[in-house]
């Protein structure tokens, strides 16, 4: 396997290390037609040369040298990242299995005895060079693949973050629309009540004015009194009296509803999403329910079966997000009319919150995919498939779990188990 003669630019570089210049000269002459040859007459010089360009592709290293012997040189070469991968072939006059073994253990790729036949020497050098170039190619490919995997990973993370962000925005948009509706309703009737009240006041003042002008007469005629009676009747003063108090009570009630919604919103997101605190889950459930009332009220009857549960240490606004996802899912599973039941309870160590619905249920083959990000059976634009995956993440952070049971065509139950005293990571 004689190597092909190449022009200097494409020749592999071989470093000869030998303290005897006669050896360097013989090997040098043999190899020069095929390789670019560097020479070093001692170990120190060899270690310097491997750090320069062109870096040798292979080293032929004498074992017996004064000062630093071949074994010490190879130990240094292997310890230095710059030279670690350069294959080293020991060339020695020492014909001993033990020495050969020592050389190989230290990292040499081959062991050649002097004197040796040129064609054998060339073949063994060529084999090692080919192996090295295959290793180099593999290394390059690995580096390329690693950067590619890293780049794709980064891209994926960016896309995921972007999707999460748009999911969040969509959810906030939906929520905002629901809340706007909830607030608009009372504001609508309060402002219509104010209009009516203003008409009533005009009528009232009209009657008051008539009374005043009658009273300013020195003598009140029977006729004038009759006119006043008629005006009172015409303006339906008795009806005004009762309707005004009703309108005021209704308006007050409407404003209280607006105040409650604002309070619920504050409760829903009152704390920093990342702050752990002792919280009452029932309060969180109630606020969440009020916030999504608009989504549920037309087709779902909601029943609360709250048990006696302790406050738990948790990220309460994140748990509210879980309850919201489960309640919205339950509402969306109910196609015409149905019921949602929210139950709570506890054991010694854990509390549970169960949201069950009488909706369409989950096909058995889908059960194992529910918590996968982007798994959705909803039409485009309706669901992104992130609700449960986000919820599981949040519950996982608490050291809890979500259990699901479902009966296709009849409904589903999602039970969230949370430790009362979570061990925070
Ligand atoms: N209560 C439920 N009843 C029936 N199917 C459900 C219920 N909850 C979840 N699923 C199923 O699990 C899927 C995944 O739910 P998930 O909340 O993760 O996403 P989504 O509701 O589709 O979309 P998103 O919550 O992102 O708007 C849903 O598409 C639905 O098929
Ligand atoms: Mg959902």
């Amino acid at each position: 396997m004689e190597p092909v003669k190449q022009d200097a630019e494409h020749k592999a570089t071989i470093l000869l290390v030998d303290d005897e210049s006669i050896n360097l000269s013989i090997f040098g002459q043999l190899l020069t037609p095929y390789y670019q040859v560097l020479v070093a007459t001692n170990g120190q010089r060899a270690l310097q040369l491997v750090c320069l360009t062109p870096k040798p592709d292979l080293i032929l290293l004498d074992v017996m040298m004064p000062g630093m012997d071949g074994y010490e040189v190879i130990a240094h070469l292997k310890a230095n990242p710059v030279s670690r991968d350069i294959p080293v072939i020991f060339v020695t006059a020492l014909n001993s299995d033990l020495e050969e073994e020592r050389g190989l253990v230290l990292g040499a790729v081959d062991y050649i005895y002097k004197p040796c036949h040129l064609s054998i020497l060339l073949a063994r050098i060529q084999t090692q060079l080919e192996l090295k170039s295959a290793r180099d190619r593999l290394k390059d490919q690995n580096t390329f693949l690693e950067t590619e995997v890293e780049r794709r990973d980064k891209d994926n993370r960016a896309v995921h973050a972007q999707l999460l962000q748009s999911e969040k925005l969509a959810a906030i948009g939906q929520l905002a629309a629901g809340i706007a509706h909830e607030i608009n309703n009372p504001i609508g009737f309060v402002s219509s009540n104010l209009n009516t009240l203003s008409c009533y006041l005009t009528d009232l003042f009209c009657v008051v004015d008539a009374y005043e002008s009658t009273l300013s007469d020195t003598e009140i005629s029977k006729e004038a009194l009759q006119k006043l009676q008629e005006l009172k009747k015409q303006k339906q003063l008795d009806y005004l009296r009762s309707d005004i108090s009703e309108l005021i009570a209704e308006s007050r009630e409407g404003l209280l509803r607006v105040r409650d919604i604002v309070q619920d919103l504050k409760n829903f997101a009152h704390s920093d999403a990342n702050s752990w605190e002792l919280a009452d889950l029932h309060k969180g459930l109630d606020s969440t329910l009020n916030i999504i009332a608009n989504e549920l009220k037309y087709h779902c009857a909601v029943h609360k079966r709250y048990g006696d549960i302790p406050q738990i240490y948790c990220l309460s606004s994140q748990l509210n997000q879980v309850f919201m996802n489960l309640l919205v899912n339950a509402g969306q599973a109910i196609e015409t009319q149905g019921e949602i039941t929210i139950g709570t309870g506890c054991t010694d160590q854990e509390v549970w919150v169960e949201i069950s619905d009488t909706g369409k249920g989950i096909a058995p083959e889908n059960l194992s995919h529910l918590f996968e990000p982007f798994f959705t059976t909803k039409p485009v634009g309706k669901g992104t498939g992130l609700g449960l995956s986000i919820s599981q993440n949040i519950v996982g952070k608490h050291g809890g779990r979500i259990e699901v049971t479902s009966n296709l065509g009849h409904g589903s139950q999602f039970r969230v188990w949370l430790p009362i005293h979570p061990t925070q990571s």
Side-chain angles (χ1 to χ4, degrees):
M1 185 170 55
E2 186 168 309
V4 182
K5 290 183 186 163
Q6 305 240 14
D7 49 9
E9 211 181 319
H10 295 103
K11 278 180 183 171
T13 304
I14 295 195
L15 170 62
L16 296 175
V17 191
D18 202 311
D19 59 314
E20 303 219 16
S21 46
I22 179 79
N23 285 343
L24 288 177
S25 150
I26 294 171
F27 276 116
Q29 272 178 24
L30 291 175
L31 298 176
T32 306
Y34 310 102
Y35 304 110
Q36 210 171 340
V37 178
L38 303 173
V39 293
T41 49
N42 58 52
Q44 285 294 358
R45 179 70 189 141
L47 295 179
Q48 283 166 357
L49 282 177
V50 294
C51 297
L52 302 177
T53 335
K55 202 164 106 172
D57 297 296
L58 183 137
I59 301 172
L60 287 179
L61 181 58
D62 185 23
V63 175
M64 300 278 284
M65 289 187 290
M68 195 185 279
D69 68 9
Y71 299 129
E72 205 178 325
V73 175
I74 195 171
H76 282 291
L77 288 170
K78 294 296 163 195
N80 183 353
V82 176
S83 52
R84 184 185 297 152
D85 296 330
I86 306 175
V88 175
I89 298 179
F90 273 123
V91 184
T92 179
L94 288 175
N95 195 343
S96 132
D97 285 348
L98 229 64
E99 292 295 331
E100 181 168 346
E101 186 191 337
R102 185 173 169 202
L104 294 174
V105 165
L106 283 170
V109 291
D110 205 350
Y111 212 92
I112 295 175
Y113 298 107
K114 287 186 274 194
C116 80
H117 201 280
L118 172 66
S119 60
I120 294 179
L121 178 69
L122 288 178
R124 290 171 105 165
I125 289 177
Q126 190 58 20
T127 306
Q128 293 307 331
L129 284 174
E130 275 166 14
L131 280 174
K132 176 175 187 289
S133 103
R135 276 198 303 272
D136 287 350
R137 277 201 306 276
L138 206 66
K139 211 161 125 193
D140 285 351
Q141 273 166 1
N142 268 346
T143 318
F144 170 76
L145 283 175
E146 270 164 22
T147 31
E148 186 62 5
V149 165
E150 211 170 286
R151 189 184 64 74
R152 287 189 188 185
D153 216 37
K154 223 158 125 192
D155 284 357
N156 276 346
R157 280 201 300 270
V159 169
H160 197 225
Q162 225 166 15
L163 280 166
L164 274 180
Q165 188 59 17
S166 48
E167 146 79 358
K168 245 199 248 165
L169 285 177
I172 290 169
Q174 213 178 0
L175 205 67
I179 291 161
H181 180 271
E182 286 296 284
I183 292 181
N184 248 343
N185 222 347
I187 284 182
F189 67 73
V190 169
S191 90
S192 129
N193 287 356
L194 282 175
N195 278 338
T196 317
L197 282 170
S198 141
C199 295
Y200 287 178
L201 271 181
T202 314
D203 287 350
L204 266 178
F205 282 126
C206 173
V207 176
V208 170
D209 287 347
Y211 268 87
E212 264 183 353
S213 82
T214 311
L215 282 176
S216 64
D217 293 346
T218 42
E219 208 171 295
I220 302 168
S221 65
K222 216 172 166 190
E223 253 175 19
L225 277 176
Q226 192 153 2
K227 257 191 181 165
L228 280 179
Q229 286 297 348
E230 269 166 23
L231 187 64
K232 212 178 125 192
K233 215 169 174 183
Q234 187 200 340
K235 297 294 182 190
Q236 297 180 294
L237 221 56
D238 292 335
Y239 171 74
L240 290 197
R241 197 187 292 272
S242 72
D243 202 34
I244 283 173
S245 35
E246 249 175 59
L247 288 177
I248 287 179
E250 200 180 76
S251 303
R252 194 174 278 146
E253 159 94 23
L255 290 178
L256 285 179
R257 260 172 67 190
V258 174
R259 193 198 62 185
D260 286 349
I261 292 166
V262 171
Q263 187 57 45
D264 284 329
L265 268 177
K266 277 189 178 162
N267 284 349
F268 185 79
H270 77 289
S271 55
D272 176 354
N274 290 316
S275 74
W276 289 83
E277 64 196 338
L278 210 53
D280 175 356
L281 293 187
H282 290 157
K283 218 167 130 192
L285 280 164
D286 288 343
S287 299
T288 310
L289 254 182
N290 287 339
I291 282 171
I292 58 161
N294 192 50
E295 286 231 5
L296 305 179
K297 68 181 173 200
Y298 300 109
H299 68 307
C300 310
V302 178
H303 309 288
K304 294 182 196 173
R305 308 232 191 290
Y306 290 172
D308 194 9
I309 59 170
Q311 296 202 334
I312 68 162
Y313 203 59
C314 61
L315 298 161
S316 68
S317 46
Q318 292 198 17
L319 285 184
N320 288 346
Q321 203 185 333
V322 173
F323 302 146
M324 183 169 77
N325 287 335
L326 296 180
L327 285 164
V328 169
N329 279 350
Q332 288 174 342
I334 294 171
E335 283 167 323
T336 47
Q337 283 290 325
E339 303 193 355
I340 295 178
T341 307
I342 308 172
T344 60
C346 65
T347 64
D348 285 352
Q349 307 285 331
E350 293 172 300
V351 298
W352 54 263
V353 174
E354 186 177 88
I355 290 163
S356 45
D357 63 72
T358 58
K360 59 182 170 187
I362 302 164
E365 66 270 22
N366 287 343
L367 272 176
S368 59
H369 300 294
L370 296 185
F371 296 97
E372 288 169 9
F374 308 113
F375 175 81
T376 183
T377 56
K378 293 170 192 169
V380 180
K382 186 101 195 248
T384 49
L386 284 172
L388 286 179
S389 124
I390 291 171
S391 302
Q392 194 179 43
N393 242 318
I394 295 174
V395 172
K397 260 192 265 183
H398 289 76
R401 63 193 184 282
I402 305 178
E403 288 173 356
V404 190
T405 49
S406 184
N407 192 349
L408 192 58
H410 294 95
S412 313
Q413 298 79 42
F414 284 76
R415 184 176 276 213
V416 180
W417 286 91
L418 295 160
I420 296 171
H421 306 289
T423 41
Q424 281 175 58
S425 52

